[in-house]
Amino acid sequence: MVKPITQRDSVQLPTTDRKSQWWFIVLRLVVVIGGGYVASSALVAGLARVLPWLGLVRIDGVVLASMLGFVIYLAVLILGFARQRLLRTAVDLLVIAGLGLMLAALTGA
Amino acid sequence: MEQGFRASMGWLHTWAGVVVGAMLFAIFWMGTLAVFDREIDRWMAPMTRIALPDRPRSFDELRATYDTAVALRSPTWTVLQATERQPYIRVAYRDKTGVVNRSFDPATGAVLPEPGTWAGSRFLYPYHYGLHLKIWNIGEWIVGFAGMAMLVLCVSGVVIHRKIFVDFFTLRARQKSQRAVLDLHTVSGVLGLPFNIAITLSGLIIFFAVYFPSGWQAVYPDKQAFNADGGSAYARPKANKPGSLGSLDAMAGEARRLWDGVEPRAILVRHPGDAAGFVTVFQSIEERIVRHAASITFDAATGAVLHRSDALRPVAVAQRFLTGLHRIQFRHWTLRFMYFALGLLGCALIMTGFLFWLEKRRKRHAAEGLHGVRLVHGLVVGATAGIVMATAGFMVINRLLPLGVTLAGYERHELEIWTFHLVWIAAFAHAWMRPRMAWVEQCRAIAALALAAMVLNGLTTGDHPLRSLAHAHLWPVAGVDVALLLLAAAAWAASRWLAASRRRSAAAVAALKEAGSHA
Amino acid sequence: MREMVLLAMIFAAEYLGCGCLALGQSRHWQAVTGTHACPPATQALLRIGGGLLLAAGLMLAVVRDGLDYGALVWVTSVSVAAIAVVATLSWPPRWLRPMTRVAVRKRG
């Protein structure tokens, strides 16, 4: 059941359809690089609030969350460019950003 | 899935490399040089080629500059004692235009003349992380973006490389050039991978508060509150009443006693001349990898202890460890040379990546009438050979300009920086105008400039390698001279090899044409 | 003096270690000896020996510089030593021939 989907996912980077058109590449760059940064930032903010709540000293939480931010952003970039379907990437980024904001709000000041 | 993942990583590796490669080369090249920034300082500022005396000098002797700082209403006044890598005393304070740096001979206490150069620690090193673009921190953001791209390149490079262990040691140098270039790229990438990932990630983490401001913004009301919590530094507001300053040597002596004999390295006075002024005495940061200097803060007037710095917490230790690892201000000559070698390997990695891109597309683009190769070729020559040439030009002009010279309102250090940028722009222009001869001619120019810099150093300062090798305090100068000589030799050899292979291919083309016309 | 001797020993151990690991791969064994693929037992010996030599390099680095600096010295110097092996293999691969003789004799 899963196989057809993965096969469609694994098509070589297409050269003829809209995915190779310049505006789609630009859109992908903006969504993955820009959107990825915003989503990672939101998650960093959420973690910075949650970690002290889990027992870390405030400053330690901020430093640890920010350091993890680079790893999170790296993973987002790699997966964002690996994914063929841009829409799914965008949805995932919204989920990450939402998670970050939710964590921040739950433990908010 | 795996197939598709590898294909998309290949696409990502190719285009991220072509787009950010030029920037990455500049960052890697400047970072490699910054490993020896203070040694380059000594080469470029001959008045600082001083033997380090055994005993540190009195802090109180520098009182005259303190009074100047008070008169200028400088918010701080800093003294750094002489060290092995910076064998002169440095005093810094601010006037209306910016930071004023003054240097003193640690043996005699005499004022050293204004060096008239930003040399390694103020030009090459800040270029590495800020590109000297200070408006809105734009340089730092560009470098941060390139750093993330470097991490992406490392990961995607590993993914597209199927047989990473098989190709660990493979370099088929005698094969045709495309194969050899790819092998060089792979080998330097695989062998440099641990260093490249560690150095890139730690470089980004130094600036965590710049690149991920959302972290501290979510927890602290403002930057001051975050800094105060993070630095565990003592602070108190100005009283706006005049105050005096007690004996700095007494405070340094008290700090030494409280630290069981550890020598104080630096003194920072906040609010000079104010009744609420305070003095912080620091240990050296050269002793361990974790970049942290223990400090004790005294009341400026009475010398009473106000605060002692706390031990770092574990997360802070991790962050400071990575910072120290990257900035290599600790005392360790073996590691300094290793960093330098691996930095050059990183430069080779970026350059061969570019060359492979070009080699692979040259024929196809020529056949299809595309201009991409020509454009990228110019970019590659300018970004790699060009920045090396500009650096050599920077060092040549440093030995030619007399001290205190100004031109059209620009001071000497600004003229040096202008020279650097003009040579670099000229390199790009040359590479686009004469694409066929660009590599050969720029390699020749590098060889000539590097040799000229070495000879000029001997002529203008008398510290030629034979003399500098004989005196331990001149070894940094000798080291820079030897490096220049090696650069000149390598660039000369490269230009000969390139010219010969150009002649060979031209002869082959001519022979083919001849055969064609006979047929 | 002790520092320099230890550093030379670190590099020697790492160069030999990387050399053994390279010879443990058929491609380099062929390039160096000119004969066909290396017998499996010799190959295993080379790989284990290479690993042990690299471990010895780490130990020497820790003895020389302590745990923190030593680990850094090891990570960086292994890369430099490996580059030296690559240079040897790509230019005069026969320079590594003595190492193959030692490996073969050890087994025999």
Short mmCIF file of all heavy atoms in Angstrom, two decimals, chain A residues 54-97:
data_model
loop_
_atom_site.label_atom_id
_atom_site.label_comp_id
_atom_site.label_asym_id
_atom_site.label_seq_id
_atom_site.Cartn_x
_atom_site.Cartn_y
_atom_site.Cartn_z
N LEU A 54 11.58 22.43 32.88
CA LEU A 54 11.99 21.05 33.16
C LEU A 54 13.13 20.98 34.17
O LEU A 54 13.65 19.90 34.43
CB LEU A 54 12.44 20.36 31.86
CG LEU A 54 11.35 20.13 30.81
CD1 LEU A 54 11.97 19.59 29.53
CD2 LEU A 54 10.31 19.17 31.34
N GLY A 55 13.57 22.12 34.69
CA GLY A 55 14.56 22.08 35.75
C GLY A 55 15.90 22.71 35.44
O GLY A 55 16.78 22.76 36.29
N LEU A 56 16.08 23.18 34.20
CA LEU A 56 17.35 23.84 33.89
C LEU A 56 17.32 25.28 34.39
O LEU A 56 16.25 25.89 34.49
CB LEU A 56 17.55 23.84 32.37
CG LEU A 56 18.79 23.10 31.86
CD1 LEU A 56 18.61 21.62 32.10
CD2 LEU A 56 19.01 23.37 30.39
N VAL A 57 18.51 25.82 34.67
CA VAL A 57 18.59 27.25 35.00
C VAL A 57 18.20 28.04 33.76
O VAL A 57 18.42 27.59 32.63
CB VAL A 57 20.03 27.61 35.43
CG1 VAL A 57 20.10 29.05 35.87
CG2 VAL A 57 20.47 26.69 36.55
N ARG A 58 17.59 29.22 33.94
CA ARG A 58 17.05 29.99 32.83
C ARG A 58 18.06 30.21 31.70
O ARG A 58 17.78 29.91 30.54
CB ARG A 58 16.57 31.34 33.34
CG ARG A 58 15.12 31.52 33.05
CD ARG A 58 14.46 32.72 33.65
NE ARG A 58 15.29 33.83 34.04
CZ ARG A 58 14.91 35.11 33.95
NH1 ARG A 58 13.74 35.40 33.43
NH2 ARG A 58 15.68 36.07 34.38
N ILE A 59 19.24 30.70 32.07
CA ILE A 59 20.23 31.02 31.03
C ILE A 59 20.68 29.75 30.31
O ILE A 59 20.89 29.74 29.10
CB ILE A 59 21.43 31.78 31.66
CG1 ILE A 59 22.45 32.17 30.59
CG2 ILE A 59 22.13 30.97 32.72
CD1 ILE A 59 21.98 33.28 29.71
N ASP A 60 20.81 28.64 31.07
CA ASP A 60 21.21 27.38 30.45
C ASP A 60 20.18 26.92 29.43
O ASP A 60 20.53 26.43 28.34
CB ASP A 60 21.37 26.28 31.51
CG ASP A 60 22.68 26.42 32.26
OD1 ASP A 60 23.43 27.37 31.93
OD2 ASP A 60 22.95 25.61 33.15
N GLY A 61 18.90 27.10 29.76
CA GLY A 61 17.85 26.73 28.83
C GLY A 61 17.97 27.51 27.54
O GLY A 61 17.86 26.94 26.45
N VAL A 62 18.21 28.81 27.65
CA VAL A 62 18.33 29.65 26.45
C VAL A 62 19.51 29.20 25.60
O VAL A 62 19.40 29.03 24.38
CB VAL A 62 18.47 31.13 26.86
CG1 VAL A 62 18.84 31.98 25.65
CG2 VAL A 62 17.19 31.64 27.48
N VAL A 63 20.66 28.99 26.26
CA VAL A 63 21.87 28.64 25.50
C VAL A 63 21.69 27.28 24.83
O VAL A 63 21.99 27.12 23.64
CB VAL A 63 23.11 28.64 26.43
CG1 VAL A 63 24.34 28.18 25.66
CG2 VAL A 63 23.35 30.03 27.00
N LEU A 64 21.16 26.30 25.58
CA LEU A 64 20.99 24.96 25.01
C LEU A 64 19.99 24.99 23.86
O LEU A 64 20.25 24.42 22.79
CB LEU A 64 20.51 24.00 26.12
CG LEU A 64 20.42 22.53 25.72
CD1 LEU A 64 21.77 22.02 25.26
CD2 LEU A 64 19.91 21.69 26.89
N ALA A 65 18.87 25.69 24.05
CA ALA A 65 17.85 25.76 22.99
C ALA A 65 18.45 26.41 21.74
O ALA A 65 18.24 25.92 20.62
CB ALA A 65 16.65 26.55 23.47
N SER A 66 19.23 27.49 21.91
CA SER A 66 19.79 28.18 20.75
C SER A 66 20.81 27.31 20.04
O SER A 66 20.88 27.29 18.81
CB SER A 66 20.44 29.50 21.17
OG SER A 66 19.55 30.25 21.96
N MET A 67 21.63 26.55 20.82
CA MET A 67 22.61 25.67 20.18
C MET A 67 21.90 24.57 19.40
O MET A 67 22.30 24.24 18.29
CB MET A 67 23.56 25.08 21.23
CG MET A 67 24.47 26.12 21.87
SD MET A 67 25.98 25.45 22.62
CE MET A 67 25.35 24.45 23.92
N LEU A 68 20.82 24.03 20.00
CA LEU A 68 20.05 23.00 19.30
C LEU A 68 19.41 23.57 18.03
O LEU A 68 19.16 22.84 17.07
CB LEU A 68 18.97 22.42 20.21
CG LEU A 68 19.45 21.48 21.30
CD1 LEU A 68 18.29 21.09 22.22
CD2 LEU A 68 20.08 20.23 20.70
N GLY A 69 19.16 24.88 18.05
CA GLY A 69 18.53 25.53 16.91
C GLY A 69 19.28 25.27 15.61
O GLY A 69 18.65 25.02 14.57
N PHE A 70 20.62 25.28 15.66
CA PHE A 70 21.39 25.06 14.43
C PHE A 70 21.18 23.64 13.91
O PHE A 70 21.09 23.43 12.70
CB PHE A 70 22.87 25.31 14.69
CG PHE A 70 23.17 26.74 15.07
CD1 PHE A 70 23.46 27.08 16.38
CD2 PHE A 70 23.13 27.74 14.11
CE1 PHE A 70 23.72 28.40 16.73
CE2 PHE A 70 23.39 29.06 14.45
CZ PHE A 70 23.68 29.38 15.76
N VAL A 71 21.11 22.68 14.82
CA VAL A 71 20.90 21.29 14.40
C VAL A 71 19.49 21.12 13.83
O VAL A 71 19.28 20.47 12.80
CB VAL A 71 21.14 20.34 15.59
CG1 VAL A 71 20.98 18.90 15.15
CG2 VAL A 71 22.53 20.56 16.17
N ILE A 72 18.50 21.75 14.51
CA ILE A 72 17.12 21.68 14.03
C ILE A 72 17.02 22.28 12.63
O ILE A 72 16.45 21.68 11.72
CB ILE A 72 16.18 22.43 15.00
CG1 ILE A 72 16.15 21.75 16.36
CG2 ILE A 72 14.77 22.54 14.42
CD1 ILE A 72 15.53 22.59 17.46
N TYR A 73 17.63 23.46 12.45
CA TYR A 73 17.56 24.15 11.16
C TYR A 73 18.24 23.31 10.08
O TYR A 73 17.75 23.20 8.96
CB TYR A 73 18.20 25.53 11.29
CG TYR A 73 18.01 26.44 10.09
CD1 TYR A 73 16.89 26.36 9.27
CD2 TYR A 73 18.97 27.39 9.79
CE1 TYR A 73 16.73 27.21 8.19
CE2 TYR A 73 18.82 28.24 8.70
CZ TYR A 73 17.71 28.14 7.91
OH TYR A 73 17.55 28.99 6.83
N LEU A 74 19.37 22.69 10.44
CA LEU A 74 20.08 21.84 9.47
C LEU A 74 19.18 20.69 9.02
O LEU A 74 19.04 20.42 7.82
CB LEU A 74 21.37 21.30 10.09
CG LEU A 74 22.17 20.32 9.23
CD1 LEU A 74 22.64 20.98 7.95
CD2 LEU A 74 23.36 19.77 10.01
N ALA A 75 18.52 20.04 9.99
CA ALA A 75 17.63 18.92 9.65
C ALA A 75 16.48 19.41 8.78
O ALA A 75 16.11 18.77 7.79
CB ALA A 75 17.09 18.29 10.93
N VAL A 76 15.93 20.59 9.12
CA VAL A 76 14.84 21.15 8.33
C VAL A 76 15.29 21.41 6.89
O VAL A 76 14.58 21.09 5.92
CB VAL A 76 14.33 22.46 8.98
CG1 VAL A 76 13.46 23.24 8.01
CG2 VAL A 76 13.55 22.14 10.25
N LEU A 77 16.49 21.96 6.73
CA LEU A 77 16.99 22.27 5.39
C LEU A 77 17.16 20.99 4.57
O LEU A 77 16.73 20.90 3.42
CB LEU A 77 18.35 22.99 5.49
CG LEU A 77 18.31 24.45 5.94
CD1 LEU A 77 19.73 24.98 6.09
CD2 LEU A 77 17.56 25.31 4.95
N ILE A 78 17.81 19.98 5.19
CA ILE A 78 18.07 18.74 4.46
C ILE A 78 16.75 18.07 4.05
O ILE A 78 16.53 17.74 2.89
CB ILE A 78 18.90 17.77 5.34
CG1 ILE A 78 20.30 18.33 5.57
CG2 ILE A 78 18.97 16.38 4.71
CD1 ILE A 78 21.18 18.32 4.38
N LEU A 79 15.83 17.92 5.03
CA LEU A 79 14.57 17.25 4.72
C LEU A 79 13.73 18.09 3.76
O LEU A 79 13.06 17.57 2.89
CB LEU A 79 13.81 16.95 6.01
CG LEU A 79 14.54 15.95 6.91
CD1 LEU A 79 13.77 15.74 8.21
CD2 LEU A 79 14.74 14.62 6.20
N GLY A 80 13.80 19.41 3.92
CA GLY A 80 13.02 20.29 3.05
C GLY A 80 13.46 20.18 1.59
O GLY A 80 12.63 20.24 0.68
N PHE A 81 14.77 20.01 1.38
CA PHE A 81 15.23 19.89 -0.01
C PHE A 81 15.10 18.46 -0.52
O PHE A 81 15.07 18.23 -1.72
CB PHE A 81 16.67 20.38 -0.13
CG PHE A 81 16.78 21.86 -0.20
CD1 PHE A 81 17.34 22.59 0.84
CD2 PHE A 81 16.29 22.56 -1.31
CE1 PHE A 81 17.42 23.97 0.78
CE2 PHE A 81 16.37 23.94 -1.37
CZ PHE A 81 16.94 24.65 -0.33
N ALA A 82 15.03 17.49 0.40
CA ALA A 82 14.91 16.09 -0.02
C ALA A 82 13.48 15.80 -0.47
O ALA A 82 13.24 15.03 -1.38
CB ALA A 82 15.29 15.16 1.11
N ARG A 83 12.52 16.43 0.16
CA ARG A 83 11.10 16.22 -0.10
C ARG A 83 10.73 16.71 -1.49
O ARG A 83 11.10 17.81 -1.88
CB ARG A 83 10.39 17.03 0.97
CG ARG A 83 9.00 16.70 1.41
CD ARG A 83 8.65 15.31 1.58
NE ARG A 83 8.62 14.83 2.95
CZ ARG A 83 8.11 15.43 4.00
NH1 ARG A 83 7.63 16.64 3.91
NH2 ARG A 83 8.11 14.85 5.15
N GLN A 84 9.99 15.89 -2.23
CA GLN A 84 9.56 16.32 -3.56
C GLN A 84 8.36 17.26 -3.48
O GLN A 84 8.26 18.21 -4.22
CB GLN A 84 9.19 15.11 -4.41
CG GLN A 84 10.35 14.20 -4.71
CD GLN A 84 11.40 14.90 -5.55
OE1 GLN A 84 11.11 15.44 -6.59
NE2 GLN A 84 12.63 14.89 -5.09
N ARG A 85 7.45 16.96 -2.54
CA ARG A 85 6.21 17.73 -2.47
C ARG A 85 6.41 18.95 -1.57
O ARG A 85 6.55 18.83 -0.36
CB ARG A 85 5.10 16.86 -1.89
CG ARG A 85 4.86 15.57 -2.66
CD ARG A 85 3.85 15.78 -3.77
NE ARG A 85 2.60 16.28 -3.26
CZ ARG A 85 1.63 15.49 -2.80
NH1 ARG A 85 1.78 14.20 -2.79
NH2 ARG A 85 0.51 16.03 -2.36
N LEU A 86 6.41 20.13 -2.19
CA LEU A 86 6.65 21.36 -1.44
C LEU A 86 5.52 21.64 -0.44
O LEU A 86 5.76 22.14 0.66
CB LEU A 86 6.79 22.53 -2.42
CG LEU A 86 7.25 23.85 -1.80
CD1 LEU A 86 8.56 23.67 -1.07
CD2 LEU A 86 7.39 24.91 -2.87
N LEU A 87 4.29 21.26 -0.84
CA LEU A 87 3.15 21.53 0.03
C LEU A 87 3.31 20.80 1.36
O LEU A 87 3.06 21.37 2.43
CB LEU A 87 1.86 21.08 -0.67
CG LEU A 87 0.59 21.66 -0.05
CD1 LEU A 87 0.58 23.18 -0.17
CD2 LEU A 87 -0.64 21.07 -0.73
N ARG A 88 3.78 19.53 1.29
CA ARG A 88 3.96 18.77 2.53
C ARG A 88 5.04 19.38 3.40
O ARG A 88 4.92 19.43 4.63
CB ARG A 88 4.31 17.32 2.20
CG ARG A 88 3.06 16.46 2.07
CD ARG A 88 3.38 15.08 1.62
NE ARG A 88 4.31 14.38 2.50
CZ ARG A 88 4.80 13.18 2.25
NH1 ARG A 88 4.45 12.55 1.15
NH2 ARG A 88 5.62 12.60 3.08
N THR A 89 6.11 19.89 2.74
CA THR A 89 7.15 20.58 3.50
C THR A 89 6.57 21.78 4.22
O THR A 89 6.83 22.00 5.40
CB THR A 89 8.27 21.04 2.55
OG1 THR A 89 8.69 19.94 1.78
CG2 THR A 89 9.44 21.61 3.32
N ALA A 90 5.77 22.56 3.51
CA ALA A 90 5.18 23.76 4.10
C ALA A 90 4.31 23.39 5.30
O ALA A 90 4.37 24.04 6.35
CB ALA A 90 4.37 24.51 3.05
N VAL A 91 3.52 22.31 5.15
CA VAL A 91 2.67 21.88 6.26
C VAL A 91 3.53 21.48 7.45
O VAL A 91 3.27 21.86 8.60
CB VAL A 91 1.75 20.72 5.80
CG1 VAL A 91 1.04 20.10 6.99
CG2 VAL A 91 0.75 21.22 4.77
N ASP A 92 4.60 20.71 7.18
CA ASP A 92 5.49 20.29 8.27
C ASP A 92 6.09 21.50 8.99
O ASP A 92 6.20 21.52 10.21
CB ASP A 92 6.62 19.41 7.73
CG ASP A 92 6.10 18.03 7.36
OD1 ASP A 92 4.92 17.77 7.63
OD2 ASP A 92 6.88 17.24 6.81
N LEU A 93 6.49 22.49 8.21
CA LEU A 93 7.08 23.68 8.81
C LEU A 93 6.07 24.39 9.70
O LEU A 93 6.40 24.86 10.80
CB LEU A 93 7.60 24.63 7.74
CG LEU A 93 8.85 24.16 6.99
CD1 LEU A 93 9.25 25.16 5.92
CD2 LEU A 93 10.01 23.94 7.96
N LEU A 94 4.81 24.44 9.23
CA LEU A 94 3.77 25.06 10.05
C LEU A 94 3.57 24.29 11.35
O LEU A 94 3.40 24.88 12.42
CB LEU A 94 2.45 25.12 9.27
CG LEU A 94 2.37 26.24 8.23
CD1 LEU A 94 1.08 26.13 7.42
CD2 LEU A 94 2.46 27.60 8.91
N VAL A 95 3.66 22.95 11.25
CA VAL A 95 3.51 22.13 12.46
C VAL A 95 4.65 22.43 13.44
O VAL A 95 4.43 22.61 14.64
CB VAL A 95 3.48 20.63 12.09
CG1 VAL A 95 3.61 19.77 13.33
CG2 VAL A 95 2.21 20.31 11.33
N ILE A 96 5.90 22.50 12.91
CA ILE A 96 7.05 22.78 13.79
C ILE A 96 6.88 24.14 14.46
O ILE A 96 7.06 24.29 15.67
CB ILE A 96 8.36 22.74 12.98
CG1 ILE A 96 8.61 21.32 12.47
CG2 ILE A 96 9.54 23.20 13.84
CD1 ILE A 96 9.79 21.22 11.52
N ALA A 97 6.53 25.15 13.63
CA ALA A 97 6.37 26.50 14.18
C ALA A 97 5.24 26.52 15.22
O ALA A 97 5.38 27.10 16.30
CB ALA A 97 6.07 27.49 13.05
#
